[in-house]
Amino acid sequence: MTTTDMTSRQVGAGAGPSEAETVPPRKGTVRRRLRQRPAAVTSAVVLLVLALLALGAPLLAALEGQDPTTYHDDLIDSARGGVPLGSYGGISADHWLGVEPGTGRDLFARLLYGARVSLLIALGATAVQVLIGVVVGLAAGLGNRLADQVISRFTEVLTALPMLVIAVSLTAIVPADFPRPLLLVLVLGLLGWFGMSRIVRARTLALRKLDHVAAARLGGSGPLRVARRELLPSLAAPVITYATVLVPGNIVAEASLSFLGIGVRPPTASWGQMLSTATTWFRADPVYVLLPAGFLLVAVLAFTVLGDAVRTALDPRERSRLRVGTRAGRKRRKGGTDRSAGATRERHEKRQEDENRGNREKEAVV
């Protein structure tokens, strides 16, 4: 079972929601809960910085005076197979993070443009997965028994297929002139919506039993109106929660496909494509390996931590977990520990009193 499947079961698990649980939390409340968690704030700041770097890639590259596609043959040592001249991969005032081995292209500019491509592919694929998953899940949850069975069995069959093999096959047979970032968005989106559809279907089946949804259906509202006005507001929390889990998975999937050589192709830069060419240089130029791998690790970790925080903030049954790692949480845990120790001591004293009373009764009988 993959991490995504486990998360989808956690998000969609539990008994049917009550009327109070279907009311979406207010934005101010969610923001306050997120601010109470330092890890969530740090992750949000890191992602904001990465987004600004990706959006400002042309400006920052122009500020450095470089671009991601120009070759600099004079900055590599052809006698050593293309290793950059100078220390730490050729870092200098003109090339802030050095140059790429074998080509001499500026590494700082390629990392910025690679962040653009990797993040856009991940977010685009997540949007496709959310759209398809919500539509299919609502169709299964609001349809009759036959429609639900057909859609559910179809989804289960697709879930059992080896998606990596299918993705490799699809990206390999598409013509070379087709835009690779768009192709990756479509492939990852069309092959990754199954968990979202299961979550939406499970929540829809529980929500349709509530009074306001049943009243809307009995009042003559069609499935589209019921879904738009009665269900989607209550489905926002699990959908957003699971979407935050899909983003880091899509970042890793894009990097994996590019690493295999069937994703983003040169001269377009992405973190996965840079890692695919860095495998032959990890001994001669370890900086070229560490930089894209570090950016990839930081992005995935930040999205994962923020997604967990968002899940905790939006799910009413998980509110207490927001205080883990905070001063209020430590006080609450300390108070809970003290109460637990006091209760244990009281039970022990009561047991001791019962034993003493029994001993006195036995002595009186004798």
Side-chain angles (χ1 to χ4, degrees):
M1 182 183 298
T2 63
T3 304
T4 304
D5 294 334
M6 294 175 64
T7 306
S8 66
R9 294 192 177 189
Q10 292 174 0
V11 175
S18 64
E19 292 284 352
E21 290 176 335
T22 61
V23 179
R26 292 178 296 180
K27 295 181 180 180
T29 304
V30 174
R31 285 196 297 266
R32 186 178 65 254
R33 294 172 185 168
L34 290 176
R35 285 197 298 267
Q36 292 174 354
R37 198 166 188 175
V41 177
T42 304
S43 300
V45 171
V46 170
L47 293 176
L48 179 60
V49 171
L50 289 177
L52 292 177
L53 290 176
L55 293 176
L59 179 62
L60 294 174
L63 182 64
E64 186 195 23
Q66 304 296 333
D67 63 81
T69 57
T70 301
Y71 285 57
H72 300 278
D73 296 331
D74 57 323
L75 299 177
I76 58 176
D77 188 357
S78 58
R80 299 174 57 194
V83 178
L85 297 172
S87 58
Y88 302 104
I91 293 178
S92 63
D94 295 328
H95 302 277
W96 297 345
L97 295 179
V99 295
E100 187 179 51
T103 63
R105 292 178 294 195
D106 185 75
L107 195 54
F108 177 73
R110 291 188 65 77
L111 282 172
L112 295 181
Y113 280 87
R116 245 185 176 188
V117 174
S118 297
L119 294 179
L120 283 177
I121 290 176
L123 294 176
T126 301
V128 175
Q129 293 167 351
V130 170
L131 178 62
I132 298 177
V134 169
V135 172
V136 174
L138 285 173
L142 290 177
N144 54 32
R145 184 182 297 272
L146 177 61
D148 184 21
Q149 290 294 325
V150 171
I151 295 175
S152 299
R153 299 295 84 76
F154 177 71
T155 304
E156 291 174 359
V157 170
L158 293 180
T159 305
L161 296 177
M163 292 305 162
L164 181 60
V165 176
I166 296 176
V168 170
S169 303
L170 291 177
T171 53
I173 64 176
V174 173
D177 57 348
F178 193 87
R180 304 302 290 188
L182 178 59
L183 175 63
L184 290 177
V185 168
L186 296 176
V187 169
L188 295 177
L190 293 175
L191 297 179
W193 54 267
F194 317 122
M196 179 66 73
S197 67
R198 289 199 297 266
I199 291 173
V200 173
R201 172 187 173 273
R203 295 289 293 179
T204 301
L205 290 176
L207 291 171
R208 65 185 293 180
K209 301 176 183 178
L210 300 181
D211 295 340
H212 65 95
V213 179
R217 299 183 69 184
L218 292 175
S221 299
L224 291 178
R225 184 180 178 86
V226 171
R228 179 171 56 88
R229 302 193 61 178
E230 308 296 339
L231 296 179
L232 286 180
S234 299
L235 290 172
V239 168
I240 294 174
T241 299
Y242 193 60
T244 58
V245 178
L246 291 174
V247 175
N250 289 328
I251 293 177
V252 175
E254 182 276 326
S256 302
L257 294 176
S258 298
F259 181 82
L260 295 175
I262 54 177
V264 177
R265 296 174 179 175
T268 304
S270 78
W271 294 336
Q273 186 271 328
M274 294 176 68
L275 283 175
S276 67
T277 58
T279 53
T280 58
W281 300 98
F282 69 95
R283 291 183 182 273
D285 187 12
V287 175
Y288 183 46
V289 182
L290 294 176
L291 285 176
F295 272 86
L296 187 64
L297 174 63
V298 168
V300 172
L301 183 61
F303 270 114
T304 302
V305 173
L306 184 61
D308 179 73
V310 170
R311 174 187 63 83
T312 308
L314 291 175
D315 191 349
R317 293 167 293 185
E318 302 289 344
R319 288 176 184 173
S320 60
R321 296 186 183 181
L322 274 174
R323 296 182 174 86
V324 174
T326 62
R327 187 174 302 174
R330 287 191 292 269
K331 290 181 179 179
R332 169 165 291 196
R333 290 198 302 274
K334 183 178 179 180
T337 303
D338 295 341
R339 288 192 297 270
S340 178
T344 303
R345 186 166 51 253
E346 290 178 0
R347 288 194 299 269
H348 179 71
E349 292 176 355
K350 184 177 181 181
R351 190 182 303 112
Q352 189 67 32
E353 291 178 359
D354 293 339
E355 292 177 358
N356 294 336
R357 187 183 302 108
N359 292 335
R360 288 194 298 270
E361 292 177 354
K362 289 180 182 179
E363 292 176 356
V365 171
V366 174

